Amino acid sequence: MSTTLHSKSAETFNHPWLAAGLELLAWCAHRQPLDDRTVRKLKTTAECLLPVLKEKRLDSLFYLTCAPDAPRQRLYDKVWAIQKQTLLEVGALFAREGIDFYLFKGRESSERWYGSRALGLFVDIDMLVERADLGNVKAVLYGNGFRQAIFDQAESRLVDRDVLDVALVEGQHYELVPFRRLAPIDVEGLDLQELSNPLPMPLAMVGDQLMVAVELDVHHGVATDIEIDDMTDNAQPSTVGVGQTFSDSNLLWLFTSRYYTEVALHGKTS
């Protein structure tokens, strides 16, 4: 067994993209501008590996360090700008209704540590609310154009999830079935040549108009076996501009511990 593991480990570290990927990940620790020599080196080694870096969701790190105005990165940023604007609108509605909420995971991290630059195509926005507020949350979202629906590529429209399916999922999970609303995106100057068919979420085509299927994932828990009070202790205002978020240490603890509790202990595969 140990020989097999050693063999697989060696095989992994022989992948040519890995050195560039590790250097890009190391940059995340401080996010300081790279010197010209390092940028030239990364451009030489990483540009040809962009398809693999994209598959590993590391391509934005290359753009942000070496080509911040790349068309692909501008597309990612435009999508996030639309999602963020929708979030600001929803946050104002929640505040009006007295609904407290916390933003967490990737969107909060991108806003806080990457100057509102997107790290790839963000599929959803994660927020945490009190379980007692769920009815009010649903009323607000339904009343403002959100639906618990999926985007049907064949029919080019949102299709509501079956109510029995919704009840089954929500009865055994710590989050609601996702809410979605379509918002148009200006495609002028965007790089759409390499997008897959069907389009990757959250992008969707309705007629001749490219849309963003803005998805809100409403949680009343953050992970199996993790208590909400442990996460909201020392909460701070969200850098997005609405709601609150977890402290830096709690965010880091959630990122690292969640996969242990969800995957190792409970056999989930997310």
Side-chain angles (χ1 to χ4, degrees):
M1 174 67 77
S2 60
T3 304
T4 303
L5 288 175
H6 177 77
S7 166
K8 288 186 176 295
S9 177
E11 179 184 340
T12 297
F13 280 91
N14 282 331
H15 286 307
W17 66 269
L18 195 58
L22 289 174
E23 188 152 9
L24 292 170
L25 286 170
W27 169 79
C28 296
H30 300 289
R31 298 171 303 283
Q32 298 295 325
L34 299 179
D35 60 76
D36 292 343
R37 179 176 176 276
T38 303
V39 169
R40 287 195 300 271
K41 176 186 171 186
L42 273 173
K43 281 187 172 182
T44 301
T45 58
E47 274 188 315
C48 62
L49 303 171
L50 272 174
V52 182
L53 293 175
K54 180 174 178 292
E55 177 190 343
K56 307 297 183 184
R57 300 182 65 83
L58 295 173
D59 58 320
S60 271
L61 298 184
F62 172 78
Y63 296 134
L64 295 180
T65 52
C66 299
D69 292 324
R72 174 68 59 145
Q73 183 60 42
R74 294 206 307 271
L75 170 62
Y76 296 160
D77 291 342
K78 275 202 169 190
V79 171
W80 167 230
I82 290 170
Q83 294 166 321
K84 179 181 176 181
Q85 181 57 42
T86 304
L87 178 57
L88 291 172
E89 294 171 11
V90 169
L93 294 169
F94 281 0
R96 191 181 308 161
E97 295 296 323
I99 301 171
D100 294 326
F101 65 98
Y102 301 84
L103 298 172
F104 66 109
K105 293 171 69 173
R107 273 28 93 217
E108 178 65 34
S109 301
S110 179
E111 193 72 12
R112 187 185 305 188
W113 291 310
Y114 296 90
S116 202
R117 302 299 301 269
L119 299 179
L121 280 177
F122 290 153
V123 175
D124 53 39
I125 298 168
D126 293 279
M127 58 173 57
L128 173 70
V129 302
E130 291 286 345
R131 190 168 170 180
D133 286 329
L134 289 178
N136 204 7
V137 165
K138 284 192 172 187
V140 170
L141 294 179
Y142 280 132
N144 287 274
F146 282 91
R147 295 157 57 185
Q148 290 180 291
I150 61 172
F151 185 79
D152 188 307
Q153 297 281 356
E155 298 188 21
S156 297
R157 65 185 182 92
L158 288 174
V159 176
D160 292 328
R161 295 277 294 267
D162 183 270
V163 292
L164 294 180
D165 180 36
V166 171
L168 179 63
V169 171
E170 294 184 351
Q172 57 188 13
H173 201 15
Y174 49 75
E175 63 181 282
L176 303 182
V177 166
F179 289 82
R180 292 187 175 91
R181 188 175 79 183
L182 296 177
I185 180 172
D186 176 14
V187 299
E188 185 177 354
L190 297 183
D191 177 17
L192 305 178
Q193 299 300 314
E194 299 176 13
L195 293 178
S196 59
N197 187 19
L199 290 170
M201 291 300 290
L203 296 174
M205 189 67 72
V206 178
D208 295 329
Q209 175 65 57
L210 186 65
M211 310 286 281
V212 177
V214 181
E215 176 181 326
L216 298 182
D217 284 359
V218 180
H219 297 245
H220 53 87
V222 293
T224 305
D225 297 344
I226 295 179
E227 296 294 331
I228 292 180
D229 289 345
D230 292 337
M231 299 307 306
T232 57
D233 183 41
N234 298 322
Q236 59 193 52
S238 167
T239 48
V240 174
V242 290
Q244 299 184 80
T245 189
F246 309 147
S247 66
D248 290 353
S249 57
N250 280 354
L251 273 176
L252 179 60
W253 182 79
L254 175 64
F255 288 151
T256 54
S257 65
R258 175 175 175 266
Y259 294 98
Y260 174 71
T261 59
E262 297 284 304
V263 179
L265 295 185
H266 295 279
K268 296 183 180 180
T269 57
S270 62

